[in-house]
């Protein structure tokens, strides 16, 4: 009886090990976007996906460990029920931009009122009122509670007219200026809060398998 139990345990352990090794071997040969897409189609689970990690935004222990891996590198985490495989498939640095703004809506104010309000905001900032305080007081955008902070963004993620002034006008750090986008009733007071920054990003293929 004892011998039979050992045999069953050995068979079970071998089958699990084989499955795990198979997944690790499969991940080794996956490189192109087409291969990744095809592979994910064979792994029908919402847990299996391609994830982008941004070194500025993601500070977890897992993210830090993945950033240390080379392109093609893999990491395996496991708990009592699952084994999770991670493979770094791309690793690149991208230029990000960041600013803060106060949004004034031309459907709420006349153009004359907007101009006077912007002059008032700029004067208050120049005489010592923090921009985030002004944003919380005057901005009609949903990010007002964050002091008008855009967060880090890539070129192409914001309105072209907004990006043209923020990215290409060579404004000095902490300079304050205005942007008009009449076609969208948007009139802005903008503060350049950060210089452009090269931020490392990795794309990671995540595969989760249940333990048998």
């Amino acid at each position: 009886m004892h011998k039979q139990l050992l045999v069953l345990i050995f068979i079970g352990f071998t089958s699990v090990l084989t499955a795990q090794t198979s997944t690790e071997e499969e991940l080794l040969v996956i490189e192109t976007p087409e291969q990744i897409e095809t592979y994910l189609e064979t792994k029908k689970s919402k847990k299996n996906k391609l994830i982008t990690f941004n070194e500025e935004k993601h500070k977890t222990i897992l993210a830090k460990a993945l950033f240390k891996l080379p392109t093609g590198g893999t990491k395996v985490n496991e708990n009592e029920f699952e084994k999770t495989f991670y493979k770094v498939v791309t690793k690149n640095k991208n230029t990000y931009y960041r600013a803060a703004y106060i949004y004034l809506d031309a459907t709420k104010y006349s153009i004359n009122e907007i101009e006077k309000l912007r002059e008032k905001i700029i004067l208050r900032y120049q005489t010592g009122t923090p921009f985030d305080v002004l944003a919380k007081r005057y901005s009609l955008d949903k990010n007002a509670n964050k002091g008008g902070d855009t967060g880090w963004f890539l070129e192409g993620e914001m309105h072209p007219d907004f990006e043209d002034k923020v990215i290409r006008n060579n404004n000095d750090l902490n300079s304050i200026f205005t942007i008009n986008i009449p076609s969208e009733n948007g009139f802005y007071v903008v503060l350049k809060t950060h210089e452009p920054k090269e931020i490392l990003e990795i794309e990671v293929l995540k595969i989760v398998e249940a333990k048998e």
Side-chain angles (χ1 to χ4, degrees):
M1 179 68 178
H2 181 67
K3 184 175 181 181
Q4 290 176 330
L5 181 60
L6 287 175
V7 169
L8 290 173
I9 291 173
F10 177 75
I11 292 172
F13 175 77
T14 302
S15 64
V16 171
L17 183 62
T18 301
Q20 292 170 350
T21 302
S22 174
T23 300
E24 290 173 336
E25 290 175 347
E26 289 169 357
L27 289 176
L28 285 175
V29 299
I30 294 175
E31 295 179 352
T32 67
E34 293 77 18
Q35 289 174 331
I36 292 169
E37 183 178 354
T38 301
Y39 188 66
L40 286 173
E41 288 176 357
T42 69
K43 301 286 185 178
K44 298 295 185 181
S45 170
K46 291 182 179 179
K47 294 181 179 180
N48 302 327
K49 61 187 74 175
L50 190 64
I51 307 171
T52 299
F53 287 87
N54 180 296
E55 198 168 34
E56 188 68 31
K57 298 176 183 177
H58 302 102
K59 306 285 189 179
T60 64
I61 293 173
L62 171 63
K64 290 178 180 178
L66 292 173
F67 277 114
K68 292 179 181 178
L69 295 175
T71 302
T74 60
K75 178 177 174 58
V76 182
N77 285 354
E78 59 183 303
N79 57 33
E80 184 179 354
F81 306 103
E82 295 178 330
K83 189 166 187 179
T84 305
F85 302 82
Y86 299 92
K87 176 173 180 175
V88 177
V89 293
T90 65
K91 197 169 189 176
N92 298 294
K93 282 191 174 182
N94 295 305
T95 304
Y96 276 79
Y97 306 89
R98 192 169 183 175
Y101 65 82
I102 294 169
Y103 167 69
L104 302 175
D105 188 345
T107 66
K108 309 290 185 183
Y109 299 101
S110 69
I111 299 301
N112 187 50
E113 287 173 329
I114 286 174
E115 291 305 324
K116 289 181 178 180
L117 188 50
R118 291 202 295 193
E119 289 175 6
K120 178 181 178 180
I121 290 168
I122 292 171
L123 180 61
R124 289 193 62 187
Y125 173 74
Q126 291 174 338
T127 54
T129 305
F131 192 88
D132 63 332
V133 172
L134 295 169
K136 290 173 184 176
R137 168 67 178 84
Y138 295 105
S139 184
L140 300 179
D141 194 85
K142 60 184 178 182
N143 78 339
N145 289 333
K146 298 189 299 180
D149 183 20
T150 63
W152 292 106
F153 66 90
L154 289 165
E155 185 171 358
E157 293 182 342
M158 307 290 276
H159 191 283
D161 294 345
F162 186 92
E163 288 186 350
D164 189 56
K165 281 286 191 78
V166 173
I167 295 175
R168 283 174 282 279
N169 264 30
N170 296 318
N171 300 293
D172 294 330
L173 186 65
N174 296 319
S175 62
I176 191 167
F177 50 95
T178 62
I179 297 176
N180 300 335
I181 308 179
S183 61
E184 298 193 356
N185 295 309
F187 293 80
Y188 299 82
V189 178
V190 182
L191 178 69
K192 182 175 179 178
T193 56
H194 295 73
E195 294 289 3
K197 185 174 183 179
E198 295 289 310
I199 299 176
L200 180 63
E201 289 185 323
I202 53 175
E203 283 190 311
V204 178
L205 180 59
K206 175 186 176 183
I207 302 295
V208 181
E209 290 187 348
K211 289 185 175 180
E212 297 181 4

